[in-house]
Amino acid sequence: MTLPDTAAIPAGDDRTFQVDLRGLVDLLSHHLYSSPRVYLRELLQNAVDALTARHSLEPGASTDAFGIRLYADGSVVRVEDDGVGLTEADVHTFLATIGRSSKRAEKIAEQRGDFIGQFGIGLLSCFLVADEIHVLSRSARTPDAPTVEWRGRGDGSYTVRVLPASARPRPGTTVTLTPRADAGEWTRPVQVQALARHFGSLLRHPVTFADGTGGTPAPVNPEPAPWAVTYPTPGARSRALAAYGEEVLGFKPLDTIELDLPAVGLKGIACVLPETVPAGRRHGHRVHVKGMLLSEQAEEILPEWAFFVRCVVDAESLRPTASRESLYEDDTLAAVRDALAERLREWIARAAASDPDLLARFLQAHHLAVKSLAVHDDEILRMLLPWLPFETTDGHATLDEFARTHRTVLVTSSVEEFRQVAAIASAAGLGVVNGGYTYDRELVHRLPEIRPEASVADLDPATLTAHLDPVDRETELAAAAYLAQARDALAVFDCDVALRSFQPASAPALLVDSREARHERTRSQLAREQEGGVWGDILGALRQEAPRAQLILNQLNPLVRTAVTIAEPELARTSAEALYGQAAMLSRRPLRPAESSLINRSFLDLLAHALRKDS
């Protein structure tokens, strides 16, 4: 196969892509924008950017000199601004060319950081709710500029007319939509006003709304952001910020942390949640860019460990994505995230140093979040490890309290191991911490870094059994026959049986068995079953001496003292199985099918024996 000589192929005429506007709008509605309601945000955004450009032309004008006026009466939606406006050339260039933004024109691109929008497709969002967009605009760049009318339709056609200056007495732009019948949900007057407040409550230019009933236009953003207001006292400021957080986020914060990053023009608040948040669950944050609400679910503004706060921030330098509904991941966002994380660390440090009551309430609700932070942050570890609560044989206690009571702190590797030994270890005077929860074992082992006098070790079953008192020789010999029957009955579980004395006397038996030991026994059993095959050879190579579980019977328990005197072999076996099953259930670990079957069988056998005896 030979390729054609490209030099011999005549050059074709240049062509222009044909754009199916309806298809493009459908693409925007299903894949770019989350909801048709964004049309109003896009109109507000264009108006704000036009006002920003107008102020660059007239830098001496006050912020209140130019504004935005919204109108909706059920038949039309109108957005009018006193911004820079468009010339006829601008209209042809920017309204008739999809994807181009007027913000790139005439050196405005050099000032792009002053504008919210950067993608030039916002006006298309209006086709989500209307089949026609009518624009009247008069440029403020040229004295006595004419008014230009642009009328775009959903089929992709448009018309442009030049009208007398009197058609729009002042510079600026008016965009009018005639909503489709199926768009009433988003274009009713009450909804337009609600959307305007939702998106524009922190805008720096005055925005008003009128519904055509003849009343005075209502302000959309009557109050500035609370962090931009001067208050008579720090307490008044703190209360105002907390009240704003409660109003916007829907909960009364445990505390409010003021955020201020001048380098990126970010201001706002972080509200500490008053209740525990499930581990790993991240809340979205309200992020405004230059006053315009960008997202209510911006998770990326804070690190993952900061799931105990929700933020409301307004920033100048953060970059929105194409949909303007989330933040673009770049170096600026990464720097902001790190800086905000440092503010949260500083708040925790202040609470630890000066407000023990606040710290206690915070840790009661969010100790897991702090533990996740302390694992990776040495400063937080030093400040807060002694204050963090852990499950121990003394109940829930801080490591500081627990280490003062117990010279050696023992830590288990799993929750089930702790549950197996907790009562007996407590009675024996051993200090054991449940290390089975996320981060706990690692943090307990770091306690000597904070308190060098403390000693920490993993709990060894031998350590526990060493604290159980042996029974005297005569008692051991009297129980020998029963113990032999019990060992034979429990051999299927690789479980040995021993007789000891320990507190509490109410505990008939203790099952000492670790997850690792069970896994090793399971592997050994599989190796035996697969002996001779390739898989059996692999398991055999891995096999170690399988550690055995141990059922330790408590001689101080009245039930056990009676059981060891049973002479009937079958009843002895059944009672040993029942004691094993009860100890396994008390450990709260998942039961294997064979163990569940044993528990049911031993219960029924004991019941049958009791009924025969009564009859």
Side-chain angles (χ1 to χ4, degrees):
M1 178 178 178
T2 58
L3 295 175
D5 182 1
T6 56
I9 299 176
D13 295 335
D14 287 341
R15 302 282 182 174
T16 301
F17 282 107
Q18 299 299 308
V19 177
D20 178 359
L21 188 57
R22 290 188 184 278
L24 180 58
V25 170
D26 183 70
L27 179 68
L28 295 179
S29 63
H30 287 92
H31 299 282
L32 185 64
Y33 296 124
S34 61
S35 164
R37 69 177 186 167
V38 300
Y39 82 93
L40 192 67
R41 184 197 65 196
E42 297 295 333
L43 290 177
L44 279 173
Q45 175 185 290
N46 288 342
V48 170
D49 286 345
L51 290 174
T52 302
R54 179 77 180 270
H55 277 284
S56 70
L57 286 179
E58 304 176 34
S62 68
T63 304
D64 294 337
F66 309 122
I68 303 170
R69 294 167 292 282
L70 305 179
Y71 176 89
D73 62 4
S75 59
V76 298
V77 175
R78 186 165 62 241
V79 179
E80 181 179 357
D81 67 69
D82 300 320
V84 71
L86 299 172
T87 65
E88 182 182 3
D90 292 337
V91 168
H92 282 290
T93 302
F94 302 118
L95 297 188
T97 304
I98 294 172
R100 184 175 297 178
S101 173
S102 62
K103 272 81 78 174
R104 295 180 175 88
E106 300 179 13
K107 298 183 181 179
I108 293 180
E110 299 174 5
Q111 305 165 348
R112 195 160 122 178
D114 296 333
F115 299 90
I116 303 171
Q118 299 183 25
F119 297 93
I121 57 176
L123 194 62
L124 289 181
S125 67
C126 296
F127 286 120
L128 299 176
V129 298
D131 285 328
E132 183 173 284
I133 305 172
H134 179 240
V135 178
L136 280 178
S137 189
R138 182 179 171 189
S139 176
R141 298 181 185 279
T142 306
D144 300 323
T147 300
V148 183
E149 178 192 63
W150 179 89
R151 195 180 296 271
R153 289 170 285 275
D155 61 6
S157 63
Y158 70 94
T159 59
V160 178
R161 291 195 303 162
V162 178
L163 305 177
S166 58
R168 197 182 195 286
R170 295 187 298 176
T173 301
T174 301
V175 180
T176 303
L177 310 180
T178 302
R180 293 195 306 271
D182 62 354
E185 176 184 0
W186 308 109
T187 57
R188 292 193 304 269
V190 64
Q191 181 72 330
V192 172
Q193 185 176 20
L195 290 176
R197 288 176 175 168
H198 178 73
F199 290 118
S201 62
L202 297 185
L203 289 176
R204 291 82 182 267
H205 304 282
V207 184
T208 60
F209 172 81
D211 59 8
T213 60
T216 302
V220 168
N221 52 342
E223 300 292 336
W227 45 82
V229 177
T230 300
Y231 297 91
T233 65
R237 183 178 186 84
S238 178
R239 288 190 294 272
L241 294 177
Y244 177 77
E246 183 175 3
E247 176 188 355
V248 172
L249 300 176
F251 64 87
K252 186 174 183 179
L254 183 67
D255 197 20
T256 305
I257 308 164
E258 190 162 359
L259 307 174
D260 187 3
L261 304 178
V264 292
L266 184 146
K267 291 180 177 293
I269 55 173
C271 295
V272 182
L273 290 156
E275 298 178 350
T276 304
V277 180
R281 177 181 173 184
R282 298 182 67 188
H283 284 286
H285 308 285
R286 288 178 64 95
V287 175
H288 300 251
V289 175
K290 301 177 182 67
M292 181 71 71
L293 178 64
L294 181 78
S295 174
E296 297 175 275
Q297 299 297 326
E299 295 182 354
E300 60 273 20
I301 196 75
L302 287 180
E304 290 186 8
W305 56 259
F307 54 81
F308 55 88
V309 297
R310 287 190 67 190
C311 292
V312 184
V313 300
D314 186 18
E316 296 288 334
S317 301
L318 293 179
R319 180 181 172 191
T321 59
S323 67
R324 291 185 283 276
E325 295 183 330
S326 59
L327 295 171
Y328 188 82
E329 189 68 49
D330 58 10
D331 291 343
T332 300
L333 179 58
V336 166
R337 185 164 49 237
D338 291 343
L340 293 181
E342 184 59 30
R343 297 295 184 274
L344 298 184
R345 289 189 184 92
E346 291 171 358
W347 175 82
I348 293 174
R350 285 197 304 272
S354 61
D355 198 336
D357 290 339
L358 174 61
L359 180 68
R361 285 184 283 125
F362 169 66
L363 291 179
Q364 183 178 9
H366 301 296
H367 59 272
L368 184 58
V370 176
K371 286 178 180 179
S372 69
L373 176 58
V375 166
H376 307 291
D377 190 310
D378 290 345
E379 183 180 353
I380 294 297
L381 178 78
R382 288 191 297 273
M383 285 191 304
L384 295 185
L385 182 58
W387 298 88
L388 291 172
F390 291 82
E391 185 179 6
T392 76
T393 46
D394 291 351
H396 281 84
T398 66
L399 283 186
D400 189 59
E401 298 168 337
F402 198 67
R404 284 201 300 265
T405 307
H406 301 279
R407 182 182 299 273
T408 299
V409 176
L410 302 173
V411 58
T412 64
S413 59
S414 67
V415 174
E416 64 188 56
E417 185 180 36
F418 177 81
R419 300 248 167 91
Q420 287 175 2
V421 305
I424 290 88
S426 178
L430 296 176
V432 183
V433 178
N434 186 350
Y437 295 117
T438 306
Y439 312 118
D440 282 14
R441 183 167 175 267
E442 182 177 356
L443 288 172
V444 175
H445 273 288
R446 297 190 67 180
L447 179 62
E449 298 177 29
I450 313 303
R451 299 197 176 282
E453 69 277 10
S455 174
V456 177
D458 286 326
L459 177 66
D460 185 340
T463 303
L464 179 64
T465 54
H467 283 75
L468 306 182
D469 296 329
V471 297
D472 59 65
R473 180 71 174 167
E474 291 183 4
T475 302
E476 184 82 32
L477 289 174
Y482 178 84
L483 294 177
Q485 294 281 358
R487 292 186 185 106
D488 184 62
L490 300 179
V492 66
F493 299 114
D494 288 313
C495 183
D496 196 9
V497 182
L499 184 65
R500 297 286 187 272
S501 295
F502 54 87
Q503 295 291 341
S506 58
L510 168 67
L511 182 61
V512 179
D513 194 15
S514 68
R515 182 181 304 173
E516 293 76 13
R518 291 196 302 276
H519 287 175
E520 180 58 38
R521 292 197 300 273
T522 300
R523 185 167 56 194
S524 299
Q525 181 180 355
L526 286 173
R528 291 193 297 270
E529 293 173 353
Q530 300 288 335
E531 190 171 356
V534 175
W535 181 240
D537 292 342
I538 295 173
L539 291 174
L542 296 174
R543 180 168 38 190
Q544 306 169 3
E545 169 134 11
R548 306 192 74 194
Q550 191 172 38
L551 180 67
I552 303 176
L553 303 181
N554 186 2
Q555 174 63 19
L556 299 181
N557 183 267
L559 178 64
V560 171
R561 287 203 301 270
T562 301
V564 298
T565 64
I566 297 174
E568 183 181 339
E570 286 302 318
L571 182 58
R573 292 174 61 91
T574 300
S575 65
E577 291 172 343
L579 288 168
Y580 175 90
Q582 189 255 4
M585 287 191 297
L586 286 178
S587 71
R588 302 186 190 179
R589 64 169 170 80
L591 297 176
R592 291 173 285 178
E595 290 173 330
S596 298
S597 176
L598 174 140
I599 291 171
N600 291 332
R601 185 179 68 253
S602 62
F603 170 77
L604 293 175
D605 288 350
L606 288 174
L607 180 61
H609 177 80
L611 292 175
R612 285 197 304 271
K613 182 178 179 181
D614 289 342
S615 62

